[in-house]
Amino acid sequence: MSDAIKHECGIAMIRLRKPAQYYIDKYGTAAFASNRLYVLMQKQINRGQDGAGVANVKIDTKPGTRYISRYRSVEPSAVNFIFDKINRKYKKAKKIGGHDALTDGAWLKENIAFTGEVWLGHLRYGTHGENSIETCHPFLKQNNWRSRNLVMAGNFNMTNVEELFSKLVEIGQHPKEKTDTVTVMEKIGHFLDEENQRIFDKYKHQFSNEQITQLIEEELDLTRILRRSCRDFDGGYAMAGIVGNGSAFVVRDPTGIRPAFYYADDEVIVVASEKPAIKSAFNIDFNLIKEIQPGHALVINKDGSYAEPEIMPAREKKSCSFERIYFSRGTDPNIYQERKNLGRALIPQILKAIDFDLKNTVFSYIPNTAETAFLGMIEGLEDYLAAKRREVFVDGKPFMGDLDELLSFRPRVEKLVSKDVKLRTFITSDDTRDSMVANVYDTTFEVIKSGIDTIVVIDDSIVRGTTLEKSILTTLDKLNPKRIIIVSSAPQIRYPDCYGIDMSKMKDFIAFRAALALLKERKLSNTLDEVYEACLALPYSTENFVKGVYSAFTDEEISNKISEIVTNEDIKAEVQIIYQTVENLHKCCPEHLGDWYFTGDYPTIGGMRVVNKSFANFMEGKTVRAY
């Protein structure tokens, strides 16, 4: 993606189902779980580079013994930094317990931190606010009663934080922050406390307090807690938690916006945001990895048993299509094929744009995540050429060109764009930054026929258009092509996201800027006032009024205007921008229909309210977050 945007965080959980000694004897290391969690997190580093955190909980420790350990970091290599610290614990064990300490599971658990049965890791992409160690997950809600402690981490954004915050105040709490993470944790923590009290009241006349504590840990009903906690949530989420007694959960929103997958056998239960991470860490077949269903939770009891109960009624599944287009690792076989299909689906639009002149067209891609879509695009061109040959040589259709050339012709493919990762533009002042940005990308010279060739370059998506305008087009124009066609494997991004992606301000979208320009040209600027008035008059409406900004224009008109906006006066070549259609997106990713940033069809009420508020903020000149 040429326009870098921050997006969903990543979660990783491991629950060991055997005693520590089992893993030492079988795998020859006391760091079995630590090593696997490290791989799970490294394989999801694409999901969060602002910070990371790891928590570990020991089950059934003696009173006076620490049983929750946590490290967090915002270092540049946060995952390595954390696991280096964890590994030092094992070195310490050998130093204080002797050479045999590392082979004694019981001794390690009693004496060394990060040797418990339940592990929770998190990778953070800070879409809003500061980037500090205090903002890194996992978060802790601590208590002197073990079963009232809560460790939480998640991949989520809530659209109704104000409402949730008010509910906490109404029940008498005094939350220390008005953030979705703290608010969610406090709400789940509240019902965790109530569940503890319910079981205590059940046994208070039959057993001693010490006995009741043990009964509470055995009978704690996480499903009941989650059903009571999540009923007011509006947003996209995959939230993971560990209770101090060792029970754990991962709950997914009813629409399935945020991803969560798990694998279980008699040794481990594993959860991650992406399937390839589980595949790599445990070397298992993809078909053994299951998806946590929307509205359900994977609930792991203290004894290691597990279930996937329904927490809230599932709605129509609208999992984030950006996961498939860009965010998730392309090593997932399904995602890999979907991305190829997205490239292939663009062939009719591309052929029309180049006037079917393949001979004088060179195809390339913007590195490096668009490579898979590029492969699909080339396969689509090969299929087109094969069909043409079949028409001539099998069906006998007339052909005016050279038959030998038709037989041997292949699409012209070159690597035209490469990124200079060493060039740092963020250190320059604003007045010189644009000139620096223009040099972020390099190009390959002497492969384009000057004034004759058309260049077709595919990108994952075009969000703001800044890099395209300031760098990529300028770089490609140095090759002196006749035309430059930029192809987006995603449709036009028109609306903000409020479920995890850092796309919250209307004015940032190149499609929105194009619509504004068209409204001004056609003297329809009163449309903005009408939409604004509707947003103010009905702030709690379930209708997306911002669709009215685009309703007077076709997709092609918006694309053409975008082409004009990103083409500065120094560009000599003709420039055209082509976007994927929403219809083709759904055909290519049929199980992942979340498309609100393209269509404005938000899957939750909160999403509709956010888009209207975001537009109102734009009209009022506010640059604040709309949720």
Side-chain angles (χ1 to χ4, degrees), residues 3 20 54 74 160 184 192 212 241 277 288 310 325 339 344 364 390 502 517 536 545 568 623 626:
D3 290 328
V54 170
V74 290
N160 62 334
V184 164
L192 175 63
I212 294 174
L288 296 176
E310 181 183 83
I325 297 168
R339 289 180 182 174
R344 187 188 297 268
S364 191
R390 189 179 303 111
D502 184 21
L536 293 183
F545 298 115
N568 64 55
T623 57

mmCIF file with all atom_site columns, all heavy atoms in Angstrom, residues 3 20 54 74 160 184 192 212 241 277 288 310 325 339 344 364 390 502 517 536 545 568 623 626:
data_model
loop_
_atom_site.group_PDB
_atom_site.id
_atom_site.type_symbol
_atom_site.label_atom_id
_atom_site.label_alt_id
_atom_site.label_comp_id
_atom_site.label_asym_id
_atom_site.label_entity_id
_atom_site.label_seq_id
_atom_site.pdbx_PDB_ins_code
_atom_site.Cartn_x
_atom_site.Cartn_y
_atom_site.Cartn_z
_atom_site.occupancy
_atom_site.B_iso_or_equiv
_atom_site.pdbx_formal_charge
_atom_site.auth_seq_id
_atom_site.auth_comp_id
_atom_site.auth_asym_id
_atom_site.auth_atom_id
_atom_site.pdbx_PDB_model_num
ATOM 1   N N   . ASP A 1 3   ? 0.020   4.349   0.354   1.00 0.00 ? 3   ASP A N   1
ATOM 2   C CA  . ASP A 1 3   ? -0.380  5.217   1.462   1.00 0.00 ? 3   ASP A CA  1
ATOM 3   C C   . ASP A 1 3   ? -0.388  4.399   2.739   1.00 0.00 ? 3   ASP A C   1
ATOM 4   O O   . ASP A 1 3   ? -1.331  3.657   3.011   1.00 0.00 ? 3   ASP A O   1
ATOM 5   C CB  . ASP A 1 3   ? -1.792  5.784   1.230   1.00 0.00 ? 3   ASP A CB  1
ATOM 6   C CG  . ASP A 1 3   ? -1.826  6.799   0.104   1.00 0.00 ? 3   ASP A CG  1
ATOM 7   O OD1 . ASP A 1 3   ? -0.815  7.497   -0.066  1.00 0.00 ? 3   ASP A OD1 1
ATOM 8   O OD2 . ASP A 1 3   ? -2.852  6.887   -0.578  1.00 0.00 ? 3   ASP A OD2 1
ATOM 9   N N   . ALA A 1 20  ? 4.034   -28.659 33.454  1.00 0.00 ? 20  ALA A N   1
ATOM 10  C CA  . ALA A 1 20  ? 5.266   -28.122 32.866  1.00 0.00 ? 20  ALA A CA  1
ATOM 11  C C   . ALA A 1 20  ? 6.291   -29.214 32.582  1.00 0.00 ? 20  ALA A C   1
ATOM 12  O O   . ALA A 1 20  ? 7.019   -29.160 31.571  1.00 0.00 ? 20  ALA A O   1
ATOM 13  C CB  . ALA A 1 20  ? 5.862   -27.070 33.789  1.00 0.00 ? 20  ALA A CB  1
ATOM 14  N N   . VAL A 1 54  ? 3.432   -8.973  26.781  1.00 0.00 ? 54  VAL A N   1
ATOM 15  C CA  . VAL A 1 54  ? 3.217   -10.383 27.086  1.00 0.00 ? 54  VAL A CA  1
ATOM 16  C C   . VAL A 1 54  ? 2.846   -10.511 28.557  1.00 0.00 ? 54  VAL A C   1
ATOM 17  O O   . VAL A 1 54  ? 3.469   -9.880  29.417  1.00 0.00 ? 54  VAL A O   1
ATOM 18  C CB  . VAL A 1 54  ? 4.489   -11.218 26.798  1.00 0.00 ? 54  VAL A CB  1
ATOM 19  C CG1 . VAL A 1 54  ? 4.335   -12.645 27.343  1.00 0.00 ? 54  VAL A CG1 1
ATOM 20  C CG2 . VAL A 1 54  ? 4.784   -11.259 25.308  1.00 0.00 ? 54  VAL A CG2 1
ATOM 21  N N   . VAL A 1 74  ? 7.760   -0.398  24.140  1.00 0.00 ? 74  VAL A N   1
ATOM 22  C CA  . VAL A 1 74  ? 7.576   0.424   22.935  1.00 0.00 ? 74  VAL A CA  1
ATOM 23  C C   . VAL A 1 74  ? 8.921   0.615   22.228  1.00 0.00 ? 74  VAL A C   1
ATOM 24  O O   . VAL A 1 74  ? 9.100   1.545   21.446  1.00 0.00 ? 74  VAL A O   1
ATOM 25  C CB  . VAL A 1 74  ? 6.939   1.792   23.262  1.00 0.00 ? 74  VAL A CB  1
ATOM 26  C CG1 . VAL A 1 74  ? 5.492   1.621   23.671  1.00 0.00 ? 74  VAL A CG1 1
ATOM 27  C CG2 . VAL A 1 74  ? 7.729   2.528   24.356  1.00 0.00 ? 74  VAL A CG2 1
ATOM 28  N N   . ASN A 1 160 ? -18.989 3.273   20.847  1.00 0.00 ? 160 ASN A N   1
ATOM 29  C CA  . ASN A 1 160 ? -19.865 3.865   21.867  1.00 0.00 ? 160 ASN A CA  1
ATOM 30  C C   . ASN A 1 160 ? -19.184 3.942   23.224  1.00 0.00 ? 160 ASN A C   1
ATOM 31  O O   . ASN A 1 160 ? -19.761 3.586   24.249  1.00 0.00 ? 160 ASN A O   1
ATOM 32  C CB  . ASN A 1 160 ? -21.171 3.071   21.970  1.00 0.00 ? 160 ASN A CB  1
ATOM 33  C CG  . ASN A 1 160 ? -20.955 1.622   22.404  1.00 0.00 ? 160 ASN A CG  1
ATOM 34  O OD1 . ASN A 1 160 ? -19.889 1.055   22.185  1.00 0.00 ? 160 ASN A OD1 1
ATOM 35  N ND2 . ASN A 1 160 ? -21.961 1.042   23.020  1.00 0.00 ? 160 ASN A ND2 1
ATOM 36  N N   . VAL A 1 184 ? -13.768 -1.155  28.436  1.00 0.00 ? 184 VAL A N   1
ATOM 37  C CA  . VAL A 1 184 ? -14.155 -2.555  28.215  1.00 0.00 ? 184 VAL A CA  1
ATOM 38  C C   . VAL A 1 184 ? -13.663 -3.441  29.352  1.00 0.00 ? 184 VAL A C   1
ATOM 39  O O   . VAL A 1 184 ? -14.396 -4.298  29.870  1.00 0.00 ? 184 VAL A O   1
ATOM 40  C CB  . VAL A 1 184 ? -13.611 -3.048  26.852  1.00 0.00 ? 184 VAL A CB  1
ATOM 41  C CG1 . VAL A 1 184 ? -13.641 -4.559  26.766  1.00 0.00 ? 184 VAL A CG1 1
ATOM 42  C CG2 . VAL A 1 184 ? -14.409 -2.433  25.704  1.00 0.00 ? 184 VAL A CG2 1
ATOM 43  N N   . LEU A 1 192 ? -17.215 -9.741  36.364  1.00 0.00 ? 192 LEU A N   1
ATOM 44  C CA  . LEU A 1 192 ? -16.376 -10.755 36.998  1.00 0.00 ? 192 LEU A CA  1
ATOM 45  C C   . LEU A 1 192 ? -16.523 -10.666 38.516  1.00 0.00 ? 192 LEU A C   1
ATOM 46  O O   . LEU A 1 192 ? -16.657 -11.701 39.198  1.00 0.00 ? 192 LEU A O   1
ATOM 47  C CB  . LEU A 1 192 ? -14.920 -10.555 36.591  1.00 0.00 ? 192 LEU A CB  1
ATOM 48  C CG  . LEU A 1 192 ? -13.876 -11.458 37.264  1.00 0.00 ? 192 LEU A CG  1
ATOM 49  C CD1 . LEU A 1 192 ? -14.128 -12.925 36.918  1.00 0.00 ? 192 LEU A CD1 1
ATOM 50  C CD2 . LEU A 1 192 ? -12.465 -11.046 36.843  1.00 0.00 ? 192 LEU A CD2 1
ATOM 51  N N   . ILE A 1 212 ? -14.453 -21.492 50.059  1.00 0.00 ? 212 ILE A N   1
ATOM 52  C CA  . ILE A 1 212 ? -15.279 -20.821 49.038  1.00 0.00 ? 212 ILE A CA  1
ATOM 53  C C   . ILE A 1 212 ? -14.405 -20.257 47.922  1.00 0.00 ? 212 ILE A C   1
ATOM 54  O O   . ILE A 1 212 ? -14.759 -20.302 46.736  1.00 0.00 ? 212 ILE A O   1
ATOM 55  C CB  . ILE A 1 212 ? -16.140 -19.719 49.669  1.00 0.00 ? 212 ILE A CB  1
ATOM 56  C CG1 . ILE A 1 212 ? -17.175 -20.328 50.613  1.00 0.00 ? 212 ILE A CG1 1
ATOM 57  C CG2 . ILE A 1 212 ? -16.850 -18.899 48.585  1.00 0.00 ? 212 ILE A CG2 1
ATOM 58  C CD1 . ILE A 1 212 ? -17.980 -19.301 51.384  1.00 0.00 ? 212 ILE A CD1 1
ATOM 59  N N   . GLY A 1 241 ? -8.767  -12.470 27.186  1.00 0.00 ? 241 GLY A N   1
ATOM 60  C CA  . GLY A 1 241 ? -8.570  -12.201 28.601  1.00 0.00 ? 241 GLY A CA  1
ATOM 61  C C   . GLY A 1 241 ? -8.184  -13.445 29.373  1.00 0.00 ? 241 GLY A C   1
ATOM 62  O O   . GLY A 1 241 ? -8.507  -14.569 28.976  1.00 0.00 ? 241 GLY A O   1
ATOM 63  N N   . ALA A 1 277 ? 0.241   -17.635 11.443  1.00 0.00 ? 277 ALA A N   1
ATOM 64  C CA  . ALA A 1 277 ? 1.044   -17.580 12.668  1.00 0.00 ? 277 ALA A CA  1
ATOM 65  C C   . ALA A 1 277 ? 0.942   -18.893 13.438  1.00 0.00 ? 277 ALA A C   1
ATOM 66  O O   . ALA A 1 277 ? 1.943   -19.427 13.926  1.00 0.00 ? 277 ALA A O   1
ATOM 67  C CB  . ALA A 1 277 ? 0.579   -16.414 13.542  1.00 0.00 ? 277 ALA A CB  1
ATOM 68  N N   . LEU A 1 288 ? -6.681  -27.695 10.189  1.00 0.00 ? 288 LEU A N   1
ATOM 69  C CA  . LEU A 1 288 ? -6.902  -27.964 11.613  1.00 0.00 ? 288 LEU A CA  1
ATOM 70  C C   . LEU A 1 288 ? -7.149  -26.675 12.408  1.00 0.00 ? 288 LEU A C   1
ATOM 71  O O   . LEU A 1 288 ? -7.506  -26.729 13.578  1.00 0.00 ? 288 LEU A O   1
ATOM 72  C CB  . LEU A 1 288 ? -5.692  -28.694 12.208  1.00 0.00 ? 288 LEU A CB  1
ATOM 73  C CG  . LEU A 1 288 ? -5.412  -30.092 11.647  1.00 0.00 ? 288 LEU A CG  1
ATOM 74  C CD1 . LEU A 1 288 ? -4.131  -30.655 12.262  1.00 0.00 ? 288 LEU A CD1 1
ATOM 75  C CD2 . LEU A 1 288 ? -6.590  -31.032 11.916  1.00 0.00 ? 288 LEU A CD2 1
ATOM 76  N N   . GLU A 1 310 ? -22.147 -19.347 22.281  1.00 0.00 ? 310 GLU A N   1
ATOM 77  C CA  . GLU A 1 310 ? -22.646 -18.092 21.731  1.00 0.00 ? 310 GLU A CA  1
ATOM 78  C C   . GLU A 1 310 ? -22.765 -17.076 22.855  1.00 0.00 ? 310 GLU A C   1
ATOM 79  O O   . GLU A 1 310 ? -23.346 -17.356 23.900  1.00 0.00 ? 310 GLU A O   1
ATOM 80  C CB  . GLU A 1 310 ? -24.001 -18.303 21.065  1.00 0.00 ? 310 GLU A CB  1
ATOM 81  C CG  . GLU A 1 310 ? -24.570 -17.033 20.439  1.00 0.00 ? 310 GLU A CG  1
ATOM 82  C CD  . GLU A 1 310 ? -25.949 -17.239 19.837  1.00 0.00 ? 310 GLU A CD  1
ATOM 83  O OE1 . GLU A 1 310 ? -26.927 -17.179 20.603  1.00 0.00 ? 310 GLU A OE1 1
ATOM 84  O OE2 . GLU A 1 310 ? -26.028 -17.461 18.618  1.00 0.00 ? 310 GLU A OE2 1
ATOM 85  N N   . ILE A 1 325 ? -7.369  -7.824  1.506   1.00 0.00 ? 325 ILE A N   1
ATOM 86  C CA  . ILE A 1 325 ? -6.699  -7.029  0.484   1.00 0.00 ? 325 ILE A CA  1
ATOM 87  C C   . ILE A 1 325 ? -5.257  -6.727  0.864   1.00 0.00 ? 325 ILE A C   1
ATOM 88  O O   . ILE A 1 325 ? -4.350  -6.767  0.026   1.00 0.00 ? 325 ILE A O   1
ATOM 89  C CB  . ILE A 1 325 ? -7.453  -5.694  0.265   1.00 0.00 ? 325 ILE A CB  1
ATOM 90  C CG1 . ILE A 1 325 ? -8.872  -5.956  -0.257  1.00 0.00 ? 325 ILE A CG1 1
ATOM 91  C CG2 . ILE A 1 325 ? -6.695  -4.774  -0.692  1.00 0.00 ? 325 ILE A CG2 1
ATOM 92  C CD1 . ILE A 1 325 ? -9.767  -4.731  -0.213  1.00 0.00 ? 325 ILE A CD1 1
ATOM 93  N N   . ARG A 1 339 ? -6.292  -12.500 -3.249  1.00 0.00 ? 339 ARG A N   1
ATOM 94  C CA  . ARG A 1 339 ? -5.541  -11.358 -3.772  1.00 0.00 ? 339 ARG A CA  1
ATOM 95  C C   . ARG A 1 339 ? -5.223  -11.541 -5.254  1.00 0.00 ? 339 ARG A C   1
ATOM 96  O O   . ARG A 1 339 ? -5.257  -10.580 -6.030  1.00 0.00 ? 339 ARG A O   1
ATOM 97  C CB  . ARG A 1 339 ? -4.260  -11.153 -2.956  1.00 0.00 ? 339 ARG A CB  1
ATOM 98  C CG  . ARG A 1 339 ? -4.545  -10.632 -1.564  1.00 0.00 ? 339 ARG A CG  1
ATOM 99  C CD  . ARG A 1 339 ? -3.294  -10.414 -0.740  1.00 0.00 ? 339 ARG A CD  1
ATOM 100 N NE  . ARG A 1 339 ? -3.641  -9.965  0.603   1.00 0.00 ? 339 ARG A NE  1
ATOM 101 C CZ  . ARG A 1 339 ? -2.780  -9.806  1.597   1.00 0.00 ? 339 ARG A CZ  1
ATOM 102 N NH1 . ARG A 1 339 ? -1.498  -10.067 1.393   1.00 0.00 ? 339 ARG A NH1 1
ATOM 103 N NH2 . ARG A 1 339 ? -3.196  -9.401  2.779   1.00 0.00 ? 339 ARG A NH2 1
ATOM 104 N N   . ARG A 1 344 ? -6.854  -10.341 -11.061 1.00 0.00 ? 344 ARG A N   1
ATOM 105 C CA  . ARG A 1 344 ? -7.453  -10.892 -12.271 1.00 0.00 ? 344 ARG A CA  1
ATOM 106 C C   . ARG A 1 344 ? -8.753  -10.166 -12.636 1.00 0.00 ? 344 ARG A C   1
ATOM 107 O O   . ARG A 1 344 ? -9.048  -9.941  -13.818 1.00 0.00 ? 344 ARG A O   1
ATOM 108 C CB  . ARG A 1 344 ? -7.731  -12.381 -12.052 1.00 0.00 ? 344 ARG A CB  1
ATOM 109 C CG  . ARG A 1 344 ? -8.210  -13.129 -13.292 1.00 0.00 ? 344 ARG A CG  1
ATOM 110 C CD  . ARG A 1 344 ? -8.640  -14.539 -12.905 1.00 0.00 ? 344 ARG A CD  1
ATOM 111 N NE  . ARG A 1 344 ? -7.508  -15.304 -12.385 1.00 0.00 ? 344 ARG A NE  1
ATOM 112 C CZ  . ARG A 1 344 ? -6.727  -16.075 -13.128 1.00 0.00 ? 344 ARG A CZ  1
ATOM 113 N NH1 . ARG A 1 344 ? -6.943  -16.185 -14.418 1.00 0.00 ? 344 ARG A NH1 1
ATOM 114 N NH2 . ARG A 1 344 ? -5.740  -16.753 -12.578 1.00 0.00 ? 344 ARG A NH2 1
ATOM 115 N N   . SER A 1 364 ? 3.529   -3.445  -14.094 1.00 0.00 ? 364 SER A N   1
ATOM 116 C CA  . SER A 1 364 ? 4.367   -3.510  -12.907 1.00 0.00 ? 364 SER A CA  1
ATOM 117 C C   . SER A 1 364 ? 3.495   -3.357  -11.666 1.00 0.00 ? 364 SER A C   1
ATOM 118 O O   . SER A 1 364 ? 2.256   -3.338  -11.761 1.00 0.00 ? 364 SER A O   1
ATOM 119 C CB  . SER A 1 364 ? 5.449   -2.423  -12.953 1.00 0.00 ? 364 SER A CB  1
ATOM 120 O OG  . SER A 1 364 ? 6.421   -2.635  -11.943 1.00 0.00 ? 364 SER A OG  1
ATOM 121 N N   . ARG A 1 390 ? -7.332  -19.056 -29.117 1.00 0.00 ? 390 ARG A N   1
ATOM 122 C CA  . ARG A 1 390 ? -8.357  -20.083 -29.346 1.00 0.00 ? 390 ARG A CA  1
ATOM 123 C C   . ARG A 1 390 ? -9.359  -19.608 -30.406 1.00 0.00 ? 390 ARG A C   1
ATOM 124 O O   . ARG A 1 390 ? -9.781  -20.379 -31.270 1.00 0.00 ? 390 ARG A O   1
ATOM 125 C CB  . ARG A 1 390 ? -9.073  -20.394 -28.035 1.00 0.00 ? 390 ARG A CB  1
ATOM 126 C CG  . ARG A 1 390 ? -10.005 -21.607 -28.095 1.00 0.00 ? 390 ARG A CG  1
ATOM 127 C CD  . ARG A 1 390 ? -10.655 -21.866 -26.754 1.00 0.00 ? 390 ARG A CD  1
ATOM 128 N NE  . ARG A 1 390 ? -9.677  -22.069 -25.696 1.00 0.00 ? 390 ARG A NE  1
ATOM 129 C CZ  . ARG A 1 390 ? -9.480  -21.212 -24.699 1.00 0.00 ? 390 ARG A CZ  1
ATOM 130 N NH1 . ARG A 1 390 ? -10.184 -20.088 -24.631 1.00 0.00 ? 390 ARG A NH1 1
ATOM 131 N NH2 . ARG A 1 390 ? -8.580  -21.471 -23.774 1.00 0.00 ? 390 ARG A NH2 1
ATOM 132 N N   . ASP A 1 502 ? -6.818  3.128   10.965  1.00 0.00 ? 502 ASP A N   1
ATOM 133 C CA  . ASP A 1 502 ? -6.571  4.551   11.162  1.00 0.00 ? 502 ASP A CA  1
ATOM 134 C C   . ASP A 1 502 ? -7.052  5.343   9.948   1.00 0.00 ? 502 ASP A C   1
ATOM 135 O O   . ASP A 1 502 ? -6.275  5.891   9.187   1.00 0.00 ? 502 ASP A O   1
ATOM 136 C CB  . ASP A 1 502 ? -5.078  4.781   11.388  1.00 0.00 ? 502 ASP A CB  1
ATOM 137 C CG  . ASP A 1 502 ? -4.762  6.235   11.689  1.00 0.00 ? 502 ASP A CG  1
ATOM 138 O OD1 . ASP A 1 502 ? -5.680  6.956   12.101  1.00 0.00 ? 502 ASP A OD1 1
ATOM 139 O OD2 . ASP A 1 502 ? -3.610  6.637   11.505  1.00 0.00 ? 502 ASP A OD2 1
ATOM 140 N N   . ALA A 1 517 ? -14.601 18.450  -5.184  1.00 0.00 ? 517 ALA A N   1
ATOM 141 C CA  . ALA A 1 517 ? -14.251 19.204  -6.392  1.00 0.00 ? 517 ALA A CA  1
ATOM 142 C C   . ALA A 1 517 ? -15.369 19.145  -7.428  1.00 0.00 ? 517 ALA A C   1
ATOM 143 O O   . ALA A 1 517 ? -15.693 20.160  -8.069  1.00 0.00 ? 517 ALA A O   1
ATOM 144 C CB  . ALA A 1 517 ? -12.951 18.659  -6.977  1.00 0.00 ? 517 ALA A CB  1
ATOM 145 N N   . LEU A 1 536 ? -26.663 16.927  11.831  1.00 0.00 ? 536 LEU A N   1
ATOM 146 C CA  . LEU A 1 536 ? -26.899 17.619  13.102  1.00 0.00 ? 536 LEU A CA  1
ATOM 147 C C   . LEU A 1 536 ? -28.305 17.371  13.632  1.00 0.00 ? 536 LEU A C   1
ATOM 148 O O   . LEU A 1 536 ? -28.512 17.205  14.839  1.00 0.00 ? 536 LEU A O   1
ATOM 149 C CB  . LEU A 1 536 ? -26.681 19.123  12.931  1.00 0.00 ? 536 LEU A CB  1
ATOM 150 C CG  . LEU A 1 536 ? -25.264 19.597  12.633  1.00 0.00 ? 536 LEU A CG  1
ATOM 151 C CD1 . LEU A 1 536 ? -25.224 21.117  12.576  1.00 0.00 ? 536 LEU A CD1 1
ATOM 152 C CD2 . LEU A 1 536 ? -24.279 19.085  13.680  1.00 0.00 ? 536 LEU A CD2 1
ATOM 153 N N   . PHE A 1 545 ? -25.954 9.635   6.147   1.00 0.00 ? 545 PHE A N   1
ATOM 154 C CA  . PHE A 1 545 ? -26.306 10.791  5.333   1.00 0.00 ? 545 PHE A CA  1
ATOM 155 C C   . PHE A 1 545 ? -25.174 11.194  4.393   1.00 0.00 ? 545 PHE A C   1
ATOM 156 O O   . PHE A 1 545 ? -25.414 11.870  3.382   1.00 0.00 ? 545 PHE A O   1
ATOM 157 C CB  . PHE A 1 545 ? -26.671 11.981  6.230   1.00 0.00 ? 545 PHE A CB  1
ATOM 158 C CG  . PHE A 1 545 ? -27.863 11.734  7.111   1.00 0.00 ? 545 PHE A CG  1
ATOM 159 C CD1 . PHE A 1 545 ? -27.730 11.708  8.481   1.00 0.00 ? 545 PHE A CD1 1
ATOM 160 C CD2 . PHE A 1 545 ? -29.117 11.529  6.559   1.00 0.00 ? 545 PHE A CD2 1
ATOM 161 C CE1 . PHE A 1 545 ? -28.826 11.476  9.303   1.00 0.00 ? 545 PHE A CE1 1
ATOM 162 C CE2 . PHE A 1 545 ? -30.221 11.288  7.364   1.00 0.00 ? 545 PHE A CE2 1
ATOM 163 C CZ  . PHE A 1 545 ? -30.078 11.266  8.742   1.00 0.00 ? 545 PHE A CZ  1
ATOM 164 N N   . ASN A 1 568 ? 0.095   16.515  -11.020 1.00 0.00 ? 568 ASN A N   1
ATOM 165 C CA  . ASN A 1 568 ? 0.544   17.902  -10.911 1.00 0.00 ? 568 ASN A CA  1
ATOM 166 C C   . ASN A 1 568 ? 0.969   18.432  -12.275 1.00 0.00 ? 568 ASN A C   1
ATOM 167 O O   . ASN A 1 568 ? 1.111   17.688  -13.244 1.00 0.00 ? 568 ASN A O   1
ATOM 168 C CB  . ASN A 1 568 ? 1.668   18.038  -9.873  1.00 0.00 ? 568 ASN A CB  1
ATOM 169 C CG  . ASN A 1 568 ? 2.932   17.289  -10.268 1.00 0.00 ? 568 ASN A CG  1
ATOM 170 O OD1 . ASN A 1 568 ? 3.473   17.494  -11.343 1.00 0.00 ? 568 ASN A OD1 1
ATOM 171 N ND2 . ASN A 1 568 ? 3.421   16.419  -9.379  1.00 0.00 ? 568 ASN A ND2 1
ATOM 172 N N   . THR A 1 623 ? -10.530 18.491  13.599  1.00 0.00 ? 623 THR A N   1
ATOM 173 C CA  . THR A 1 623 ? -9.688  17.366  13.164  1.00 0.00 ? 623 THR A CA  1
ATOM 174 C C   . THR A 1 623 ? -9.612  16.287  14.230  1.00 0.00 ? 623 THR A C   1
ATOM 175 O O   . THR A 1 623 ? -8.647  15.527  14.293  1.00 0.00 ? 623 THR A O   1
ATOM 176 C CB  . THR A 1 623 ? -8.268  17.854  12.832  1.00 0.00 ? 623 THR A CB  1
ATOM 177 O OG1 . THR A 1 623 ? -7.715  18.503  13.986  1.00 0.00 ? 623 THR A OG1 1
ATOM 178 C CG2 . THR A 1 623 ? -8.282  18.808  11.659  1.00 0.00 ? 623 THR A CG2 1
ATOM 179 N N   . ALA A 1 626 ? -13.774 10.906  15.569  1.00 0.00 ? 626 ALA A N   1
ATOM 180 C CA  . ALA A 1 626 ? -15.244 10.958  15.559  1.00 0.00 ? 626 ALA A CA  1
ATOM 181 C C   . ALA A 1 626 ? -15.876 9.901   16.452  1.00 0.00 ? 626 ALA A C   1
ATOM 182 O O   . ALA A 1 626 ? -17.086 9.728   16.449  1.00 0.00 ? 626 ALA A O   1
ATOM 183 C CB  . ALA A 1 626 ? -15.759 10.782  14.130  1.00 0.00 ? 626 ALA A CB  1
#
